[in-house]
Structure formats: structure tokens, C-alpha cells
Amino acid sequence: MRRSTRCLAALGLMALMAQGACGGDDDTPSAGSTSASGTGSGSESKEAAHDEHADHGSDEEAAFPLDEADITVKVSMKDFAFAGLPPAIKGEQVLFEVTNDGPSEHEFVVFEDSGADAVRGIRPFARSKTQMLAVELKPGAYTARCLVKLGDQTHADLGMQTDFTVE
């Protein structure tokens, strides 16, 4: 019995070491850095973050070259609000420059007003960081939400969601 306990402990240690080697923060942007695809990493393991936020489309390439944006919208995320997101955006090729100015991790996910499916988004990322999201949005109604959980609620449940239209 004692030998199997040691083997299990050794396997657990090896798994943690492998996770550290493969799941580290090597691709985590440094403060003030940007990412065209909107990727980011949170405090949880990348595998867990990927599963929970997989439908946001944040691992996809930018929808268009960043310099071809019709408009750049600078958004500041704070606990629990989006600042700078106007009620109406003119232009379909929208570049969101999203900065986390809050003390906690946040994400930025765009939803069509009519549905529960995310159009595109940026996975959760830490404070003092900036991420870019280049997305083509047809004219219509949209909602930006932060789906990071706090207990049994999301930040959106606590008020971190904003409606806007694209004209």
C-alpha cells in the first residue's frame, strides 16, 4: 500500500510539472500589450479556461486587418461596468480596444441581442492589461457582457453588461 501511495504522489507531481511546462503564462501578454485575436489567459488553468469560454471565438484570427477598422472603440472594464462603450457604433468593422482597469479579472464578450450565442469575445484577462478584438458586426442590436463568475453569479449578473447598436 505504501508503494502505491508513493507512486500516486510521484505521478501527481509529474502531472503538476507537466502542466507548469505546458500551461504556463508564456503567452500571457505583459501590461499594456495587445492581441489582435483577443486571446488572454486567466488565473485558472488554460484547459479549464478554454472549456468554460470556448464558445467566445477568442482563439480565432482577427476578422480583418486592424488598420482597416471602420471605428476603434476604447472600452475600460471595471468592477462591474464597461466604460466608453457608446450606445451606437457607426461601421461594421469594429476594433474594440479593451483595457481591464478593475482590480479583478474580466472578459469582453459580444452577443447578438436576439440570442445566447456569443459573436466573438476576449477571454478573461488580468488588470492593467489591454486586448484587441477585431470583429465584423452587421447593423443591429448587441450586448457586451463579462461572464467571469463570482460565486454563483457572473459579472454580467452584477451589472457588467452594456447594450449597443451597430449602424
Side-chain angles (χ1 to χ4, degrees):
M1 183 72 165
R2 188 172 201 170
R3 183 176 177 184
S4 65
T5 302
R6 275 191 237 146
C7 288
L8 286 174
L11 286 173
L13 181 59
M14 288 171 52
L16 285 174
M17 291 172 62
Q19 181 181 7
C22 298
D25 290 337
D26 292 342
D27 66 343
T28 301
S30 59
S33 69
T34 60
S35 169
S37 64
T39 61
S41 66
S43 59
E44 59 191 344
S45 76
K46 289 183 183 203
E47 190 172 306
H50 179 71
D51 291 342
E52 184 177 342
H53 304 281
D55 62 344
H56 300 176
S58 60
D59 285 336
E60 299 171 14
E61 292 295 318
F64 53 85
L66 301 185
D67 60 349
E68 293 181 13
D70 294 330
I71 187 169
T72 298
V73 178
K74 294 184 179 189
V75 179
S76 170
M77 301 188 298
K78 302 176 181 179
D79 291 352
F80 295 99
F82 294 114
L85 187 58
I89 296 173
K90 294 183 188 279
E92 295 180 23
Q93 289 187 318
V94 183
L95 177 61
F96 292 101
E97 182 178 318
V98 185
T99 303
N100 185 348
D101 291 319
S104 60
E105 187 175 75
H106 293 296
E107 69 181 334
F108 182 83
V109 185
V110 176
F111 290 84
E112 284 187 69
D113 190 44
S114 62
D117 292 332
V119 175
R120 290 281 305 270
I122 301 171
R123 290 187 178 172
F125 63 100
R127 67 186 177 114
S128 302
K129 308 250 189 218
T130 297
Q131 298 279 326
M132 307 296 272
L133 177 66
V135 61
E136 290 189 45
L137 299 173
K138 294 179 182 175
Y142 295 88
T143 301
R145 294 183 183 126
C146 178
L147 301 177
V148 170
K149 292 216 175 222
L150 183 63
D152 60 349
Q153 296 183 310
T154 66
H155 288 184
D157 294 332
L158 299 170
M160 196 167 182
Q161 65 179 11
T162 300
D163 297 331
F164 64 95
T165 59
V166 173
E167 300 174 345

